[in-house]
């Protein structure tokens, strides 16, 4: 008689480059299915927004500034406390206790990402804060985190790490598939249907980061709701062409980037002396995001299913532009596979914690550039 294997529950924790809040996903896994699509079953999700002060503290650390070491380490502990508060509330919502959870897969909050390219290529590094030990002690749950460090030590970019998870969930034998996550930075996973083709993934460039920044400088609020303000502007072809000439867009994958590159200083290079109306610049930035995503997709596949997730999915103007530019592709919300787009990235880090425990490789060398596949992460007990 075969021994019955109990399903296990993990919580994935993700806070993205938009620094808007904490996404949690409660995911149930069947260890007997490991890398198959039905291995991961989203049971519930939860979101806790950062207050304005926390968001400001995070964003102040994206660039070098006075006393950043003190501020970063203080926030390292504070974020762990906020992560723990969110998890405690989530467990209460689901009528669960710490004992019901096998582990928390914690991505943390990226404040600096300097991969193996650019001026920091001599000693590439990535830094996520949100103290794993503090989180484990406050929740009473084992934490698996620091997923990017080993890939970087193996010569990789340390990002993106989600394609291995996307392959397990979205892979299709009949048609090429893309998963496009539009957060502060936009990234794609390419899942080819041909067995002899490689899964790929990389950051295409800015997602919401520049849009949110420009909007906050000229309107009230953190972001452009549904892209309404951008839709009132007119795209400036000359400005768009200048932006698209940036070296990052011309660089071949593997590649990854962050808000330490696509930020206010990057935008000032092109717009500091511009006489364009602010809405026109917002319209141009929205087209920049759409163009760089669409170009990356069309270079890899002529026809494919394209699953859209991330905060940018709610930008109707941006999605309309993508539909126009990808007219031969089928744009789909992940909800059509019964997966919440808001929870997808958090699910990935629950899966990475599960992969750590089950000795499953969490990176794909063709994606990150690492010298070999590896089990990613470190485990911290309460």
């Amino acid at each position: 008689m075969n021994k019955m294997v109990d399903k296990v529950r993990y919580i994935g924790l993700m806070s993205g480059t938009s620094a808007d809040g904490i996404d949690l996903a409660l995911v149930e896994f069947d260890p007997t299915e490991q890398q198959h699509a039905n291995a991961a079953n989203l049971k519930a999700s939860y979101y806790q927004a950062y207050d304005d002060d926390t968001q400001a503290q995070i964003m102040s650390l994206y660039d070098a500034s006075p006393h950043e070491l003190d501020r970063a380490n203080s926030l390292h502990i504070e974020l762990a406390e906020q992560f723990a508060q969110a998890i405690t509330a989530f467990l209460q919502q689901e009528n669960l206790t710490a004992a019901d959870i096998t582990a928390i897969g914690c991505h943390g909050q990226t404040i600096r990402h300097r991969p193996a390219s650019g001026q920091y290529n001599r000693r590439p590094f990535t830094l996520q804060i949100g103290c794993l030990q503090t989180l484990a002690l406050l929740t009473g749950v084992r934490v698996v985190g620091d997923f990017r460090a080993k890939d970087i030590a193996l010569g990789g970019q340390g990002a993106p790490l989600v394609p291995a998870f996307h392959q397990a969930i979205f892979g299709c034998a009949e048609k090429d598939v893309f998963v496009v996550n539009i957060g502060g930075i936009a990234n794609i996973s390419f899942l080819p249907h041909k067995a002899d083709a490689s899964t790929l993934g990389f950051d295409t460039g800015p997602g919401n980061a520049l849009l949110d920044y420009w909007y906050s400088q000229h309107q009230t609020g953190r972001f452009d709701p549904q892209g309404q303000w951008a839709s009132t502007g007119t795209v400036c072809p000359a400005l768009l062409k200048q932006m698209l000439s940036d070296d990052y867009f011309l660089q071949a994958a593997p590649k990854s980037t962050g808000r330490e590159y696509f930020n206010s200083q990057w935008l000032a290079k092109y717009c500091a002396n511009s006489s364009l109306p602010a809405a026109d610049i917002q319209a141009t930035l929205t087209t920049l995001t759409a163009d760089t995503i669409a170009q990356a997709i069309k270079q890899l596949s002529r026809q494919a299913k394209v699953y859209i997730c991330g905060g940018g999915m709610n930008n109707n103007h941006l999605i309309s532009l993508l539909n126009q530019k990808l007219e031969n592709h089928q744009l789909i919300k992940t909800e059509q596979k019964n997966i919440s787009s808001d929870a997808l990235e958090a699910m990935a880090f629950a899966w990475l914690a599960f992969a750590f425990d089950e000795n499953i490789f969490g990176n794909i060398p063709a994606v990150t550039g690492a010298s070999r596949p590896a089990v990613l992460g470190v485990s911290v007990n309460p």
Side-chain angles (χ1 to χ4, degrees):
M1 179 182 291
N2 292 331
K3 182 181 178 181
M4 294 295 292
V5 178
D6 291 335
K7 293 183 179 180
V8 289
R9 296 189 187 101
Y10 287 74
I11 290 177
L13 189 156
M14 174 69 191
S15 178
T17 50
S18 292
D20 52 0
I22 304 161
D23 286 303
L24 301 177
L26 175 66
V27 187
E28 188 176 76
F29 295 95
D30 181 348
T32 65
E33 295 289 345
Q34 290 196 351
Q35 297 190 44
H36 300 292
N38 57 347
N41 181 14
L42 177 66
K43 306 299 290 185
S45 60
Y46 186 85
Y47 175 73
Q48 179 172 295
Y50 286 139
D51 59 29
D52 290 342
D53 179 64
T54 300
Q55 186 184 54
Q57 287 187 66
I58 293 168
M59 290 188 166
S60 74
L61 292 167
Y62 286 154
D63 298 298
S65 54
H67 308 295
E68 63 178 337
L69 187 59
D70 290 309
R71 291 186 291 108
N73 280 281
S74 176
L75 190 59
H76 182 53
I77 305 302
E78 182 181 339
L79 286 181
E81 293 170 350
Q82 292 194 32
F83 294 166
Q85 291 167 5
I87 286 171
T88 298
F90 189 27
L91 290 174
Q92 290 174 348
Q93 171 188 288
E94 299 304 313
N95 295 314
L96 297 172
T97 68
D100 296 313
I101 307 301
T102 301
I104 298 164
C106 180
H107 171 264
Q109 176 69 57
T110 300
I111 59 170
R112 208 67 61 84
H113 184 64
R114 305 290 194 191
S117 59
Q119 70 182 102
Y120 293 90
N121 62 345
R122 185 168 176 269
R123 291 291 186 274
F125 68 91
T126 188
L127 179 60
Q128 289 74 41
I129 59 173
C131 178
L132 304 182
Q133 187 64 78
T134 300
L135 179 59
L137 289 169
L138 290 177
T139 60
V141 180
R142 182 170 60 91
V143 177
V144 182
D146 197 18
F147 294 108
R148 300 191 187 279
K150 191 171 186 178
D151 187 84
I152 284 187
L154 289 168
Q157 296 271 316
L161 296 182
V162 293
F165 169 70
H166 289 161
Q167 179 64 61
I169 301 301
F170 294 98
C172 175
E174 291 79 36
K175 196 170 188 178
D176 291 345
V177 172
F178 289 89
V179 182
V180 180
N181 176 60
I182 311 174
I185 299 298
N187 59 69
I188 66 170
S189 296
F190 172 52
L191 316 174
H193 76 281
K194 293 181 179 179
D196 59 347
S198 296
T199 295
L200 300 174
F202 54 91
D203 292 340
T204 58
N208 305 317
L210 298 178
L211 298 175
D212 292 350
Y213 168 75
W214 191 251
Y215 185 86
S216 70
Q217 298 302 299
H218 298 277
Q219 301 288 316
T220 301
R222 293 183 180 182
F223 61 92
D224 185 3
Q226 301 179 348
Q228 292 176 354
W229 186 47
S231 69
T232 68
T234 301
V235 174
C236 175
L239 176 60
L240 179 62
K241 183 178 180 180
Q242 284 184 317
M243 290 177 171
L244 286 170
S245 69
D246 184 271
D247 287 344
Y248 183 80
F249 303 127
L250 306 177
Q251 180 184 334
K255 62 179 180 178
S256 59
T257 188
R259 292 186 76 141
E260 54 285 310
Y261 185 78
F262 288 107
N263 54 22
S264 59
Q265 288 82 14
W266 187 91
L267 190 54
K269 287 193 303 183
Y270 301 99
C271 299
N273 300 313
S274 174
S275 60
L276 288 171
D280 289 1
I281 292 178
Q282 185 77 352
T284 305
L285 289 173
T286 307
T287 302
L288 175 70
T289 292
D291 274 1
T292 48
I293 292 171
Q295 287 172 14
I297 289 172
K298 288 190 287 189
Q299 286 172 1
L300 291 169
S301 180
R302 299 175 67 178
Q303 284 189 324
K305 291 182 179 180
V306 181
Y307 289 98
I308 305 289
C309 62
M313 186 191 71
N314 301 313
N315 186 323
N316 293 342
H317 181 56
L318 173 59
I319 298 304
S320 176
L321 290 175
L322 281 172
N323 269 306
Q324 293 171 31
K325 296 174 188 298
L326 294 170
E327 58 184 358
N328 293 326
H329 297 72
Q330 180 185 6
L331 267 65
I332 311 166
K333 292 184 177 180
T334 60
E335 278 76 5
Q336 292 188 26
K337 281 187 71 74
N338 296 318
I339 297 175
S340 166
S341 59
D342 292 331
L344 186 61
E345 274 206 292
M347 283 183 70
F349 287 94
W351 181 83
L352 280 166
F354 170 73
F356 175 88
D357 286 346
E358 296 294 323
N359 208 36
I360 299 169
F361 294 146
N363 67 336
I364 298 176
V367 171
T368 67
S371 59
R372 62 174 173 85
V375 177
L376 305 179
V378 297
S379 180
V380 177
N381 292 317

